[in-house]
Amino acid sequence: RIIYHPGDSAAKHYHLGCHHMFVILEGEGLMFTPAGSHRLKPGMAAIVVPEEIHWFENDTDANFKFVEFWAPPPLKTIWIVKDDI
């Protein structure tokens, strides 16, 4: 279970060898991918394919809570440094 507090964000990253799935429990926030930003709300699910860059941001005044799953577990997580893109 993951909690992003108001104003929290994650660094851009991707995973090798797995799909990454998120199920939103409470609050709402943004998921970013190369296709753009996606508003996620309770009851929604999102899937990121292997090696797809993604990151999250809580741009609200409430906690953004979700659970995440990998299938299979990632071989490695690659964190994107700003100048690498």
Side-chain angles (χ1 to χ4, degrees):
R1 191 173 127 196
I2 307 296
I3 300 173
Y4 279 69
H5 301 282
D8 283 353
S9 63
K12 294 178 184 179
H13 64 283
Y14 62 93
H15 308 284
L16 298 178
C18 73
H19 284 78
H20 199 179
M21 182 175 150
F22 310 90
V23 177
I24 310 310
L25 302 174
E26 289 181 37
E28 59 182 73
L30 295 170
M31 179 178 78
F32 296 90
T33 68
S37 63
H38 311 276
R39 171 81 44 200
L40 299 177
K41 298 179 180 184
M44 295 176 77
I47 296 175
V48 174
V49 298
E51 299 182 27
E52 182 176 20
I53 295 171
H54 59 284
W55 68 99
F56 293 91
E57 178 182 319
N58 182 350
D59 63 342
T60 74
D61 293 329
N63 287 336
F64 175 40
K65 299 179 182 181
F66 56 90
V67 291
E68 62 181 354
F69 306 92
W70 291 276
L75 298 172
K76 185 174 184 180
T77 297
I78 309 297
W79 298 96
I80 306 295
V81 176
K82 182 179 176 183
D83 295 334
D84 285 347
I85 301 175

